[in-house]
Amino acid sequence: MFNLWAAAPLFGEPRCSCENQRQAWRHVLQTIVRIKGLRWLIASGLVLAVAGVPAAEQADRAVAAVKQLVATGALPAGAALRLTVKQGNLASFLGENEQLKADWERATGTEIDARIMPQLASRAFIQDDDTVDLTIARSNETPDLVSEGLIMPLSPLIERFGFVLPDTPPDGFVHVRQQALFNGQVVAIPADGDAALLFLRRDMMEDPAQQASFLARFGRTLAPPRTWAEYQDLVAFFDRPAEGFYGALEPRDTLTGWMYWMPRFLAHAQVGQHLFDEAMRPTIDSPEGIAATESYLATLAHSPAGVLKQGNDYSFTLPLFLSGKGFSTIITVAAAKLANTRTSPVYGKVMAVPMPGRVVAGQTVPHPTLIYGNNLVIPARAKHKTLAFLFAMWLTDPDISARSVGVAGGFTDPYRYHHFDDPRIRAVYGEAFLDAAKAQLPYVAPAGTGLPGDAAYLEALSENLSVAAHGRQSAAAAMHNTARQWEAITEQRGRRAQVAHWQRYRAALPASASPRLAPVH
Amino acid sequence: MRLRPSHAGITLRTRLLISLVMVCAVVLALLGMAGLISTQATDRAQAVLDAQIQPLVLLHGLKTRLHRIRESEVKLALTEDFFAAFSRHERLVAERKNFGEALAVLCNAPSATPAHVLERVEALWTQYDEALAALGQPVMEMRMEEVARIATYETANRFAALSSALDRVAEETRLAAKASFEDAALRQHRQWRILKLIAALGTLAFVLWVMWLWRALFGRLLALNTAATEMATEGRAELDVTGRDELSAVALAFNAMQARIQARESALRDAQSELETRVLLRTSELYDVNTRLLREADERQRAEQQLALLSKAVEQSPVGIVITDTGGVVRYVNPAMEVVSGGSQGVAVGRLAGVFDPAMNSPVRVSEMLRRLEAGADWDGELEVGRPDGSRYWAHVSLSPVVEHTGDTTHYLVLSEDISLRKAQEAQILHRAHHDALTDLPNRVLAMDRLNQALLHAERHAGRAALLFIDMDNFKVVNDRFGHEMGDALLVNAGQRIRGLLRAGDTVARHGGDEFLIILDDVGGADVAASVAEGVRQAFAAPFDVGGNEVFVTLSIGAALYPDDGVSASVLLRNADLAMYQAKEAGRNSWRFFESRLHEATQARVEIETCLRGALERGEFRLVYQPVGDTASGRIFGAEALIRWDSPVLGAVAPDRFIEIAERTGLVVPIGDWVLETACRQAAQWQREFDPGFHIAINVSPRQFRADDFVSRVAQVLAQQGVAPHTLMIEVTEGLLLHDHDEVLKAFEALIAVGARLAMDDFGTGYASLRYLKHFPFHTVKIDREFVRDIGNDPDDRVLVDTAIRMGKSLGLSVIAEGVETADQLAILRGFDCDLIQGYYFSKPLSAEGLHAVLAKALVAPQHLINPA
């Protein structure tokens, strides 16, 4: 058994000497031989591409490739790359005062035509708009996007231009497997490490009077929660609805509810238990799934009434938390940029801690998952696919990406290891917040089901969670109904094909849905 | 023959040199002056250019930034994602900073614009900037309605005022630059005149010098020639030599070398050589002049290049530019204008510009434009313009006359900027500000505006208008049962149904929650309003399909007429609201016209509410205690604490008049807390002095019961006063049990855990009482006095009371009959095995002192208030 999420570098070792390269290559081969489920990677050609090319000059090579394309006439001089991203990430992609955009345009002689896309999932948008060369999609969306032919696989371009996706420190990508791969192909380039993180009111946690009161009531020290049960105690303890102060400010709307259910499922699941079993029968209506749902519903008693309203996602809960009206919230580390501004009412009063999980042999195992995430994808109908790829390669270069993530007005989260240690980025986020996010990196699980039809599966789950949250069905009924609907979706899409997908995906998952529970060799 | 000296003592060479120096000096002076004039003219032209172009460039930049700021704040109001809103707001803050810095550059730059105009711009920017700064807080709290409100009502006017002020600066700059240009031209003209005068004087001096030289040189040479000719042809005597100049020497030489012709020829060659030297000198001078002229031509060429640069700027300007002649005929269209207008230069040139075409623009506006332009002023405004393909767009159009230095207007300059996006966004914001987001019906703000318009119209035409106030009777039930989303869908369908019943000119608005307003303009009389109200009521007889569920809702409608029921919108609204409440009180699913007595009742309620505030602090409340007796033994079991209010203004106010108001205003919470504490303190005293088992009952209102700390407060008071918890009976009515069953049940269980007992008061008055008795853990049930009153006469009431007592006992509850006033009633209740009684037959409510005396008396001489069974 091995730990997949913390495995040896499969995607290349940056800045290595020839000897180191040989060692890395040997190590890669050994690892692949040991990992039965990953042998398909050999076919993808990625490893070959990775082993031979250092990543230090990633940005320079991208620029040189664009110039060569222009010189050979393959790309018209002055071509415009149509980049479409969300408003909150625009500054990260274009840089402080659009400096990154200017640098790219000056270096390549091409232009960037940047536009804004809706703040929703990308599937419908990519379907409707054929004027996009490069855009972003959430991690869980890629199986649908690929299987419906909406985005192109990137492996051929990766091989052609010698791009590498290292997944180890010092400057590798933190979630390559969770964000970039589908069916043995690289289909997206990670550009935002959006993992769920728990934010608490530090001033209340450190208040001696609260600590004494908590100890008297619960018989244990007031401390960040290790499990969801402890979390529930905390939100109940600090809940003051009559004063307009709420224990839990987790979003519970229909579109994003599943994101806050998944970490609970992982925390309650048994070793080896995933959303489906080996034959792809849903396991979410098991006692563990129902317990996770009950945990999901339990916070509602300590949340504001509007939290169930359609569309009230983090845009409803996060402002309340940042206004000092709640004890806890769950969101990505991007929120730290807001809490870390001196004008914020909660400046200096907030702490971030790893997500609750479980305690195994005295050790705390957090269970975060990716939630939103902004991976770079190239629509199949893009006009300048190669240019789009080269821009993505340039933007995610170790140095360029550090500048991108460090932009104060952008909300792209650190997605390469060295981002967490970069002084510019640490100053913008606040050191303690980044350290908390870094601490849970080895445990971050992928978002969604990993299957074609993911949108339909998650929609059924979210809808049933919503009905339960409104008190119109029990947690058990919600899970039973979801399991039944999931079976119908599987039948509708073709059970055989879905099972094949699931087994491939499952092979790439660790033995447990909780990575650190598997013995590490 | 005699040669006369021209000037004794000065040689011809000296004279020629002096003359040459003088000529050169004059020529140099002329060239210097011409150069100076040329340089100054260039400098002045540059200064005029700077004074006009640079401020205009700065102003153009400022206007662009200003429009970007406005666009940003409008987009901000439409943003729904928090991170996006934060990001947009950060950008807006940066744009504000940039604008402020650019404005400072404009104000500090040398400019002909009057200082007070720039100060006005700075003041307007400060106002606008302050209004924009107010966006920060609502953005951080995602209160986008507030952002939209600020963008619509607070910043829009300030933006417009600042934009106009910048236009005024541009106009002032243009006028100042024109004046500077004219001044420069005048000064240049004067300098040219001086130069011409000096040139004329120099030319005159040169002519005089030539004449003098003619006389001084050529006269004497002629004499020499004559002499030589004579000497050659006929010979002659020696010349008479006088003087000491070169000609005298020639004469001497002539005389000396008379025989030698060569000497004479040599002398002539010398003279010729000297003349050639002069020619060369003049040629050199002409060369210098020519060089100067070439330099001037070069400077002129540079000025032309500058003009070409400006022309290119116009050509490549992102703003649409059209130049017409004074007849409005297009002479030039830049590419940006072609893009914006959808036309082409080839088609447009030679035609009348659309903006001046009365067929395409308002003739009145065209006249006003031309009048302003002919007066030398600018015109600035927003127009909706058509494209050749039939589509239309909004443009911000600026018209300026192009004025020559002579003051003549030669062309008109048309600047056009596409502002369709901003107009559309402003229209969207305006719509959102005036319409309800859920139903898309006019909201309360727009409804009040329409109502005011209807009242104005009615006032002018001596007519009538009506306002109907509609409230759904059972909307909350739908909401609780099917959820808020279904509730929202019902509101949308209800709004559509009402809208479909009315005339196009009538207004249906959502007042808030489940309330709608109908404004009927120009109604003949009350019968029309009544007809509409009845029609709307009947229209709701049909069910609604809400998410596949068939839902029936009824309406309560209140109507108020102008001018009968009020002459202002606020009064009509208030009165229609009151009438709606009357319809509700009349059993719902009905409509009522406003009656003035309703208003009087409301005023009375307001008066009570005013006096009620602070009554507790002023000590105006007191408690009386009505004993509760054991039916069988007649012993005093306990007492119910009853509140009394002695208002110094209103006198004694009955509880049924003020409790409801206290409940509505929330004052019932502190009042109820005072009752709890006072009653428990009193009960503790009686328990210590007379009977440890003495029970005290208090009434708790729903609002007091739902207070977060109610249970903990009960426990605290019991502990503080030392009252045994089981002797406290908390009486609640059915009103508490109608909603939030789970929450109430939890609170009941918490109270029971504290040790208190629970009683259902006024049993029998609500339709669901039996169900509640079974569902909630009551200890006691109190049968309402309404049923006890006629127990002796009305068999139905007797059966009902008997059934209630039996049922209560079967559930393990003790039963108290209220309102027992006669011995017959007591006898019947004893027959029904009722546990406890309360009423005037047993005892009227007593003051604390009164009950104290009764209890004391009973202690020393045991007695009963009624005879035991």
Side-chain angles (χ1 to χ4, degrees):
Chain A
M1 191 105 34
F2 64 96
N3 182 345
L4 181 63
W5 307 122
L10 296 178
F11 296 89
E13 184 66 38
R15 297 193 182 95
C16 53
S17 65
C18 292
E19 182 55 32
N20 287 340
Q21 281 187 4
R22 277 194 293 276
Q23 287 177 357
W25 173 232
R26 268 201 304 277
H27 189 66
V28 166
L29 287 178
Q30 287 167 358
T31 308
I32 291 168
V33 169
R34 284 163 50 201
I35 306 171
K36 192 176 173 184
L38 291 182
R39 283 179 183 157
W40 44 264
L41 279 175
I42 299 173
S44 73
L46 298 179
V47 177
L48 290 173
V50 165
V53 186
E57 306 85 17
Q58 183 177 317
D60 295 340
R61 281 185 288 112
V63 169
V66 174
K67 286 180 175 172
Q68 191 178 6
L69 289 173
V70 173
T72 58
L75 185 70
L81 171 71
R82 296 165 306 181
L83 171 69
T84 304
V85 296
K86 291 168 184 171
Q87 173 68 41
N89 294 92
L90 191 62
S92 300
F93 281 82
L94 302 184
E96 196 92 53
N97 298 322
E98 301 198 346
Q99 193 57 50
L100 287 176
K101 176 175 184 281
D103 287 354
W104 167 262
E105 291 179 343
R106 189 169 49 247
T108 62
T110 63
E111 294 178 2
I112 295 177
D113 177 10
R115 308 176 203 177
I116 305 298
M117 65 186 282
Q119 203 77 19
L120 296 168
S122 302
R123 187 173 161 207
F125 155 71
I126 295 175
Q127 267 176 335
D128 295 342
D129 193 343
D130 63 352
T131 65
V132 181
D133 292 325
L134 184 65
T135 187
I136 54 180
R138 294 175 184 170
S139 305
N140 65 298
E141 287 188 279
T142 45
D144 277 336
L145 295 175
V146 173
S147 59
E148 292 173 19
L150 293 174
I151 60 173
M152 61 177 293
L154 303 180
S155 296
L157 289 170
I158 281 181
E159 190 171 3
R160 176 179 167 192
F161 292 107
F163 183 33
V164 290
L165 286 166
D167 64 349
T168 54
D171 58 7
F173 291 86
V174 294
H175 304 310
V176 172
R177 291 164 185 77
Q178 296 94 321
Q179 292 184 287
L181 302 179
F182 177 70
N183 267 5
Q185 290 277 327
V186 175
V187 294
I189 296 176
D192 190 358
D194 265 352
L197 187 65
L198 177 59
F199 289 80
L200 304 174
R201 283 291 293 272
R202 185 169 61 80
D203 54 336
M204 300 176 78
M205 292 287 288
E206 294 174 354
D207 181 356
Q210 301 282 11
Q211 288 173 344
S213 175
F214 188 87
L215 180 63
R217 181 165 160 190
F218 293 100
R220 67 168 192 275
T221 309
L222 178 59
R226 297 171 302 170
T227 65
W228 287 102
E230 290 183 358
Y231 167 79
Q232 186 63 30
D233 287 345
L234 279 178
V235 300
F237 179 73
F238 286 109
D239 193 34
R240 310 269 191 278
E243 299 164 21
F245 186 89
Y246 301 97
L249 288 173
E250 280 185 63
R252 286 287 182 270
D253 77 316
T254 310
L255 289 179
T256 58
W258 67 270
M259 296 179 184
Y260 303 90
W261 178 90
M262 278 286 286
R264 287 176 162 89
F265 177 78
L266 296 178
H268 288 83
Q270 298 192 19
V271 174
Q273 181 180 359
H274 303 291
L275 293 172
F276 301 91
D277 64 13
E278 203 165 344
M280 216 190 137
R281 300 293 176 189
T283 67
I284 56 171
D285 54 347
S286 62
E288 293 77 21
I290 294 168
T293 308
E294 284 167 347
S295 165
Y296 174 87
L297 299 175
T299 62
L300 287 170
H302 312 295
S303 298
V307 79
L308 287 175
K309 192 175 174 190
Q310 180 75 15
N312 275 2
D313 55 10
Y314 61 74
S315 292
F316 173 74
T317 55
L318 187 54
L320 285 174
F321 184 74
L322 294 174
S323 306
K325 293 177 181 167
F327 167 70
S328 71
T329 192
I330 293 176
I331 187 73
T332 70
V333 73
K337 277 186 176 175
L338 302 173
N340 195 38
T341 54
R342 290 191 179 277
T343 53
S344 169
V346 294
Y347 177 74
K349 298 178 180 176
V350 177
M351 66 193 294
V353 297
M355 290 286 282
R358 65 180 85 192
V359 180
V360 177
Q363 277 201 316
T364 305
V365 180
H367 281 292
T369 61
L370 290 174
I371 44 178
Y372 290 95
N374 288 313
N375 304 324
L376 289 163
V377 295
I378 301 177
R381 293 184 292 175
K383 183 180 174 189
H384 295 307
K385 294 183 178 69
T386 310
L387 181 61
F389 174 80
L390 291 170
F391 176 74
M393 180 172 164
W394 180 82
L395 182 70
T396 55
D397 169 88
D399 294 332
I400 302 292
S401 64
R403 287 171 60 194
S404 161
V405 175
V407 172
F411 295 98
T412 291
D413 289 338
Y415 59 89
R416 299 186 76 136
Y417 283 103
H418 71 288
H419 291 167
F420 292 89
D421 302 318
D422 186 290
R424 291 167 296 186
I425 299 174
R426 289 178 76 79
V428 174
Y429 278 86
E431 301 203 341
F433 293 108
L434 276 191
D435 288 343
K438 187 179 180 184
Q440 68 172 17
L441 281 180
Y443 307 99
V444 174
T449 62
L451 294 169
D454 181 81
Y457 288 115
L458 293 183
E459 186 182 351
L461 171 61
S462 294
E463 182 62 32
N464 278 301
L465 287 173
S466 175
V467 173
H470 281 90
R472 297 201 290 275
Q473 68 179 357
S474 66
M479 291 299 100
H480 289 315
N481 287 337
T482 305
R484 196 176 63 249
Q485 289 164 22
W486 279 16
E487 283 285 81
I489 294 166
T490 302
E491 293 297 335
Q492 191 181 3
R493 298 189 68 88
R495 175 168 291 279
R496 212 167 142 187
Q498 288 298 92
V499 169
H501 277 299
W502 172 245
Q503 288 178 345
R504 271 198 298 274
Y505 180 69
R506 194 166 182 272
L509 286 172
S512 165
S514 49
R516 284 290 188 199
L517 285 182
V520 179
H521 296 292
Chain B
M1 194 167 193
R2 185 183 177 90
L3 281 174
R4 290 173 288 109
S6 59
H7 196 283
I10 301 175
T11 65
L12 266 178
R13 186 183 302 274
T14 306
R15 287 177 207 158
L16 281 172
L17 280 172
I18 290 169
S19 301
L20 197 58
V21 168
M22 286 175 63
V23 169
C24 285
V26 169
V27 169
L28 285 173
L30 285 173
L31 287 173
M33 285 191 68
L36 189 65
I37 290 169
S38 174
T39 304
Q40 285 182 347
T42 305
D43 290 347
R44 272 193 292 271
Q46 186 64 44
V48 169
L49 209 61
D50 289 349
Q52 185 169 24
I53 297 298
Q54 287 182 1
L56 285 175
V57 168
L58 287 171
L59 278 168
H60 180 72
L62 277 174
K63 285 212 76 170
T64 305
R65 287 176 195 276
L66 184 64
H67 282 276
R68 208 179 293 146
I69 287 172
R70 179 67 181 153
E71 190 178 330
S72 291
E73 64 163 318
V74 169
K75 280 183 178 172
L76 183 62
L78 299 173
T79 306
E80 294 176 347
D81 180 76
F82 181 53
F83 287 117
F86 182 85
S87 181
R88 281 210 158 108
H89 182 254
E90 288 287 294
R91 196 177 177 87
L92 178 62
V93 169
E95 284 166 352
R96 281 168 47 209
K97 182 168 175 282
N98 291 341
F99 184 90
E101 290 170 355
L103 182 60
V105 170
L106 175 71
C107 294
N108 295 328
S111 166
T113 310
H116 72 273
V117 176
L118 293 173
E119 284 166 5
R120 170 74 178 147
V121 170
E122 283 184 309
L124 288 170
W125 164 241
T126 302
Q127 289 174 8
Y128 186 36
D129 191 48
E130 284 171 357
L132 291 171
L135 291 169
Q137 187 70 17
V139 166
M140 285 310 293
E141 294 172 3
M142 277 306 279
R143 290 187 286 113
M144 304 319 281
E145 304 82 5
E146 174 65 7
V147 175
R149 187 193 67 74
I150 292 172
T152 306
Y153 294 113
E154 294 191 12
T155 59
N157 290 339
R158 298 180 189 195
F159 161 74
L162 180 57
S163 182
S164 298
L166 287 174
D167 291 341
R168 190 177 163 207
V169 172
E171 175 62 16
E172 293 281 351
T173 305
R174 194 185 66 76
L175 289 174
K178 183 184 171 190
S180 301
F181 183 81
E182 288 171 352
D183 179 56
L186 187 64
R187 289 173 64 185
Q188 190 171 1
H189 183 66
R190 277 195 205 128
Q191 285 176 327
W192 275 116
R193 283 174 62 189
I194 293 169
L195 181 66
K196 285 176 188 170
L197 182 63
I198 292 172
L201 290 173
T203 305
L204 181 63
F206 183 71
V207 168
L208 289 173
W209 174 77
V210 168
M211 289 175 64
W212 176 83
L213 195 64
W214 183 270
R215 283 190 60 196
L217 184 62
F218 290 99
R220 292 164 73 190
L221 282 175
L222 190 64
L224 274 176
N225 186 43
T226 305
T229 303
E230 285 175 355
M231 189 168 58
T233 55
E234 55 196 45
R236 58 162 293 163
E238 189 179 77
L239 285 169
D240 183 12
V241 178
T242 60
R244 290 179 294 171
D245 64 7
E246 290 85 343
L247 285 180
S248 302
V250 171
L252 287 173
F254 185 82
N255 289 338
M257 296 186 292
Q258 200 170 26
R260 295 170 62 187
I261 295 301
Q262 293 85 352
R264 190 180 59 186
E265 288 174 348
S266 175
L268 286 172
R269 275 199 300 275
D270 288 345
Q272 186 179 2
S273 172
E274 195 145 348
L275 280 172
E276 284 175 354
T277 302
R278 280 184 53 222
V279 168
L280 281 173
L281 274 173
R282 290 297 309 276
T283 304
S284 172
E285 289 163 4
L286 285 172
Y287 177 78
D288 289 344
V289 169
N290 192 36
T291 304
R292 289 279 183 184
L293 287 173
L294 283 173
R295 196 177 300 154
E296 284 179 28
D298 185 46
E299 285 169 356
R300 195 176 300 117
Q301 189 180 10
R302 275 195 284 127
E304 284 170 358
Q305 282 172 345
Q306 212 159 13
L307 277 175
L309 183 64
L310 283 174
S311 173
K312 198 181 290 180
V314 169
E315 185 77 9
Q316 296 177 2
S317 168
V319 176
I321 297 173
V322 174
I323 297 173
T324 73
D325 61 19
T326 52
V329 176
V330 176
R331 294 300 173 204
Y332 170 79
V333 176
N334 80 338
M337 189 69 192
E338 291 179 319
V339 173
V340 171
S341 67
S344 69
Q345 174 151 299
V347 174
V349 170
R351 294 189 175 186
L352 187 59
V355 71
F356 296 121
D357 188 348
M360 298 174 71
N361 197 350
S362 155
V364 175
R365 191 186 288 138
V366 170
S367 299
E368 187 215 333
M369 289 172 177
L370 291 174
R371 185 175 52 74
R372 285 185 63 83
L373 291 171
E374 284 163 4
D378 287 349
W379 185 91
D380 180 86
E382 294 177 352
L383 299 175
E384 191 179 15
V385 187
R387 293 192 178 94
D389 64 2
S391 61
R392 303 187 74 76
Y393 68 100
W394 276 95
H396 180 265
V397 178
S398 301
L399 303 176
S400 307
V402 179
V403 183
E404 283 290 306
H405 68 276
T406 58
D408 295 334
T409 298
T410 59
H411 294 83
Y412 295 146
L413 179 65
V414 183
L415 301 179
S416 175
E417 192 174 2
D418 186 352
I419 56 169
S420 302
L421 181 60
R422 176 168 66 78
K423 294 290 280 186
Q425 287 168 338
E426 284 181 345
Q428 195 178 350
I429 284 187
L430 201 61
H431 185 85
R432 285 175 61 164
H434 287 141
H435 288 78
D436 172 48
L438 177 66
T439 61
D440 203 36
L441 292 174
N443 62 12
R444 189 178 186 282
V445 175
L446 184 55
M448 288 299 98
D449 186 50
R450 296 256 178 96
L451 182 57
N452 279 318
Q453 288 176 25
L455 300 189
L456 273 175
H457 182 265
E459 184 184 6
R460 282 199 204 101
H461 298 86
R464 276 181 161 163
L467 174 66
L468 305 188
F469 195 114
I470 300 173
D471 185 90
M472 286 191 189
D473 292 329
N474 41 359
F475 177 71
K476 190 171 185 331
V477 175
V478 175
N479 232 5
D480 290 344
R481 185 170 170 197
F482 298 108
H484 290 290
E485 288 171 22
M486 294 300 109
D488 288 350
L490 174 61
L491 288 173
V492 173
N493 288 340
Q496 288 170 348
R497 191 175 286 188
I498 297 171
R499 175 71 265 172
L501 297 169
L502 302 177
R503 300 174 298 182
D506 297 331
T507 296
V508 178
R510 186 178 177 207
H511 185 251
D514 57 345
E515 295 169 347
F516 295 91
L517 298 176
I518 295 177
I519 299 162
L520 301 173
D521 194 4
D522 201 16
V523 292
D527 54 331
V528 175
S531 168
V532 171
E534 179 58 20
V536 171
R537 191 190 69 79
Q538 287 181 5
F540 275 63
F544 286 89
D545 179 5
V546 178
N549 300 296
E550 201 172 60
V551 174
F552 287 89
V553 289
T554 57
L555 304 179
S556 293
I557 304 171
L561 289 172
Y562 168 89
D564 313 65
D565 301 329
V567 294
S568 73
S570 59
V571 171
L572 276 181
L573 181 67
R574 185 195 66 199
N575 291 343
D577 189 15
L578 287 171
M580 184 275 290
Y581 274 107
Q582 194 195 19
K584 275 209 186 297
E585 286 170 8
R588 308 185 169 196
N589 192 21
S590 61
W591 54 269
R592 289 287 184 277
F593 274 109
F594 169 72
E595 292 176 19
S596 58
R597 66 175 176 79
L598 284 177
H599 181 54
E600 288 159 10
T602 304
Q603 279 187 321
R605 280 203 293 272
V606 169
E607 197 173 10
I608 289 173
E609 183 179 330
T610 306
C611 293
L612 197 56
R613 292 186 188 281
L616 184 62
E617 292 75 10
R618 294 191 296 270
E620 294 172 11
F621 293 112
R622 60 187 169 86
L623 290 185
V624 294
Y625 301 88
Q626 186 168 34
V628 176
D630 184 278
T631 314
S633 67
R635 191 175 60 84
I636 296 177
F637 174 79
E640 179 181 2
L642 301 167
I643 192 166
R644 295 290 183 264
W645 179 24
D646 300 317
S647 166
V649 178
L650 305 171
V653 185
D656 60 352
R657 287 181 63 205
F658 73 84
I659 289 296
E660 181 198 342
I661 294 168
E663 173 82 9
R664 181 168 51 78
T665 56
L667 291 169
V668 77
V669 176
I671 292 172
D673 191 64
W674 175 82
V675 170
L676 172 68
E677 189 168 353
T678 306
C680 284
R681 187 166 55 244
Q682 186 60 64
Q685 183 190 349
W686 289 333
Q687 286 174 358
R688 282 194 305 273
E689 294 183 20
F690 308 119
D691 177 7
F694 183 88
H695 281 66
I696 186 74
I698 61 165
N699 293 282
V700 175
S701 79
R703 187 147 182 179
Q704 184 188 2
F705 194 89
R706 287 201 168 84
D708 291 330
D709 59 347
F710 176 66
V711 176
S712 59
R713 180 66 183 145
V714 168
Q716 184 186 17
V717 170
L718 287 171
Q720 281 175 349
Q721 303 302 334
V723 175
H726 72 278
T727 60
L728 174 65
M729 183 179 294
I730 292 172
E731 298 185 4
V732 299
T733 59
E734 285 181 35
L736 173 69
L737 312 175
L738 292 174
H739 309 293
D740 302 331
H741 294 180
D742 293 344
E743 292 296 320
V744 173
L745 195 56
K746 276 185 196 169
F748 274 20
E749 287 166 352
L751 284 170
I752 290 170
V754 168
R757 298 171 68 82
L758 299 166
M760 175 182 269
D761 203 3
D762 301 337
F763 179 76
T765 54
Y767 68 93
S769 302
L770 294 175
R771 184 161 60 84
Y772 292 144
L773 275 186
K774 193 175 172 186
H775 187 69
F776 293 98
F778 286 107
H779 300 89
T780 302
V781 57
K782 295 183 78 173
I783 299 173
D784 190 70
R785 64 184 68 241
E786 289 291 317
F787 303 102
V788 176
R789 187 178 57 208
D790 296 327
I791 194 172
N793 311 321
D794 188 336
D796 290 343
D797 281 355
R798 198 157 51 238
V799 169
L800 197 147
V801 170
D802 184 23
T803 307
I805 292 171
R806 283 170 193 277
M807 190 199 62
K809 286 184 168 296
S810 71
L811 292 172
L813 309 179
S814 62
V815 181
I816 302 176
E818 292 183 289
V820 180
E821 295 179 351
T822 67
D824 287 347
Q825 290 169 342
L826 175 61
I828 293 169
L829 289 167
R830 275 180 174 155
F832 291 161
D833 200 17
C834 179
D835 300 313
L836 300 165
I837 60 164
Q838 184 178 348
Y840 271 55
Y841 184 72
F842 189 61
S843 171
K844 66 177 184 180
L846 302 169
S847 66
E849 295 77 20
L851 184 54
H852 189 95
V854 170
L855 290 170
K857 200 172 171 184
L859 186 67
V860 294
Q863 60 176 315
H864 306 290
L865 294 180
I866 56 174
N867 294 323

